[in-house]
Amino acid sequence: MYFEDYLPILMFAALAILLFTGFPVGFVLGGVGLAFGFIGMYFDVFSQIEFFNLVLRIWGIADNLVLVAIPMFIFMGTMLERAGVAADLLHCLQVLLRRTPGGLALAVTVMGTILAATTGIIGASVVMISLMALPVMIERRYNTELATGTIAASGTLGILIPPSIMLVIMADLLGRSVGTLFVAAVFPGLILSGLYFAYIFSLCRFKPELAPALPQDMGPQTWGELFLLLLRGFIPTVFLILLVLGSIVLGWATPTEAAGVGAGGAVLLAVVNRKLTWKVLKDVVERTAITNGMIFFLFVGATAFSYVFRSLGGDDLIEDLIYALGVGPWGILVILMAVAFLLGFFFDWIEITLIVLPVFAPILAGLDFGEHVPKAEVIYWFAILLAVNLQTSFLTPPFGFALFYMKGVAPPEVRIQQIYRGIIPFVMLQLVGLGLVIAFPDIAMWLPRTILN
């Protein structure tokens, strides 16, 4: 092999090193791509005209109507956060679960699941739940590791449960239907939530000292008062979720149109809660613009990197390397899942998705799993497996972003070591969930196969 044949490997090495410098990831991705494009020109394996093709690809991102859903889903989640919906929801769930072992922790889990279907913004969810629930759990003498682990794991469900921004990005990168990925992610997301719920319930039943019971006289004491509580804190949020997801599943609206409905519904809830002021609206729009700008700049950088990587023969090099291992389809799947899991210790989900998915997807699309997964469904199944896997990237140290979000707003007595210990059982549960979807593909594929066919 000549030196130029090793350029794709050197690209990944340069990227891995520069990502730890602290520079914005979008700049690193784009800069490495452009630099190796010029290096490829020197060795006559990359032509100058290909830089023009890169401009066209970047314009294709701006011109992609599917991606319009991203800023609207971000706006929806941010507005619901500022509208006080989460506070009402947590109080309502505490009341409903006050007689259950670990009732407050279970309320946080259910709340995280519901918020996952409304926000999809992990930082906002984890910070919001930490501010509202963690001081209360500590005050009620909850075990700190249980409290922090519950909040961190529940707050990250939004990356999988639709309408997930990650699934929109995956669908665009794979050239597949957003609606199908949304429907396929429903049961895996609920299974993860159910695993958290079952673990907390079982643990608190056998070790009640870890989660002292809530007062029996907490909340409304009559059916009428309970109905009013549900009407204010539970029903509006669930109705908005059903409206957004139901319109996609039933074919009434595209994901982009449903995102617009969600954004409008969030504004309406803010009006009903008397929280819609000019200051709130300005703050929501600014935060939406900043988050959206960050995501799309990553798109631009990742597009430059992946285009140059492919032009230099990176896809063929990785495929040859994997096939040379001689491990078969299942071995390749295990290797790819292990790589994604290990990358989660150091990188955020969006970085892993934009860098790895364009390289991994063609490899998986060419594999045959026999009767276990129909060939037409392999790419959707793999996308859901990767999405479940990337749940762990928010929790695994040293760069588990959910852990840092929580530590930034946690009471001073909560130490980072306690947070690290608290997430261990939940990472194990996430891996159990991943194993279930691998062993039983119908968990992901039965619903889209039933509804969309």
Side-chain angles (χ1 to χ4, degrees), residues 17 21 85 123 202 288 303 314 320 327 361 406 430:
I17 294 170
T21 61
V85 171
S202 303
T288 300
T303 298
D320 292 343
V327 292
M406 180 183 297
Q430 289 172 339

Side-chain angles (χ1 to χ4, degrees), residues 78 81 83 134 155 159 183 185 195 205 207 231 242 247 260 322 327 352 358 361 378 389 400 427 431 442:
T78 309
E81 176 194 348
L134 189 54
I159 208 61
V183 176
L195 288 172
R205 187 170 186 83
K207 294 185 176 181
L231 190 62
L242 294 176
S247 61
I322 290 179
V327 292
I352 301 172
V378 167
N389 195 334
V427 172
L431 294 178
D442 279 354

Side-chain angles (χ1 to χ4, degrees), residues 89 93 105-120 125 129 150-151 153-163 185-197 234 237-238 241 245:
L89 181 62
L93 292 171
L106 295 177
V108 168
T109 303
V110 176
M111 178 185 175
T113 306
I114 295 174
L115 287 180
T118 57
T119 64
S125 295
I129 299 175
T150 299
I151 293 172
S154 302
T156 59
L157 286 170
I159 208 61
L160 176 61
I161 294 178
V186 170
F187 283 159
L190 293 178
I191 282 176
L192 279 185
S193 176
L195 288 172
Y196 301 161
F197 197 96
F234 187 78
T237 309
V238 173
I241 294 169
L245 296 184

Side-chain angles (χ1 to χ4, degrees), residues 165-312:
I165 295 171
M166 180 172 69
L167 296 179
V168 176
I169 294 174
M170 281 185 169
D172 179 68
L173 292 173
L174 296 171
R176 296 300 194 274
S177 164
V178 179
T180 302
L181 276 183
F182 275 6
V183 176
V186 170
F187 283 159
L190 293 178
I191 282 176
L192 279 185
S193 176
L195 288 172
Y196 301 161
F197 197 96
Y199 166 73
I200 294 167
F201 179 85
S202 303
L203 182 66
C204 296
R205 187 170 186 83
F206 291 105
K207 294 185 176 181
E209 68 276 7
L210 297 178
L214 296 170
Q216 295 297 316
D217 59 351
M218 179 182 177
Q221 303 300 311
T222 66
W223 286 106
E225 292 175 347
L226 181 61
F227 176 75
L228 290 176
L229 181 66
L230 290 172
L231 190 62
R232 175 180 172 82
F234 187 78
I235 294 175
T237 309
V238 173
F239 178 74
L240 181 61
I241 294 169
L242 294 176
L243 192 63
V244 172
L245 296 184
S247 61
I248 296 173
V249 172
L250 296 176
W252 296 346
T254 65
T256 304
E257 293 165 342
V261 171
V267 172
L268 184 60
L269 285 179
V271 172
V272 171
N273 286 356
R274 299 179 181 178
K275 295 291 180 68
L276 187 62
T277 63
W278 174 251
K279 181 180 178 181
V280 167
L281 183 61
K282 182 173 179 288
D283 179 58
V284 169
V285 170
E286 287 180 352
R287 289 165 61 183
T288 300
I290 291 171
T291 305
N292 189 59
M294 179 271 294
I295 289 175
F296 276 81
F297 197 84
L298 282 169
F299 262 121
V300 172
T303 298
F305 180 89
S306 61
Y307 180 79
V308 175
F309 182 77
R310 287 181 172 181
S311 295
L312 296 178

Side-chain angles (χ1 to χ4, degrees), residues 339-360:
V339 169
F341 177 72
L342 293 175
L343 288 175
F345 281 79
F346 305 102
F347 305 121
D348 195 2
W349 68 267
I350 191 167
E351 298 154 17
I352 301 172
T353 301
L354 293 175
I355 296 170
V356 169
L357 192 59
V359 178
F360 283 3

Side-chain angles (χ1 to χ4, degrees), residues 13 36-37 42 68 76 84 91 110 129 156 198 216 225 236 243 278 330 332 359 364 370 376 388 390 394 423-424 433:
F36 274 83
Y42 178 80
V68 175
M76 171 183 164
H91 177 67
V110 176
I129 299 175
T156 59
Q216 295 297 316
E225 292 175 347
L243 192 63
W278 174 251
W330 286 105
I332 292 174
V359 178
L364 261 294
V388 175
L390 291 181
F394 284 96
I423 57 91
I424 292 174

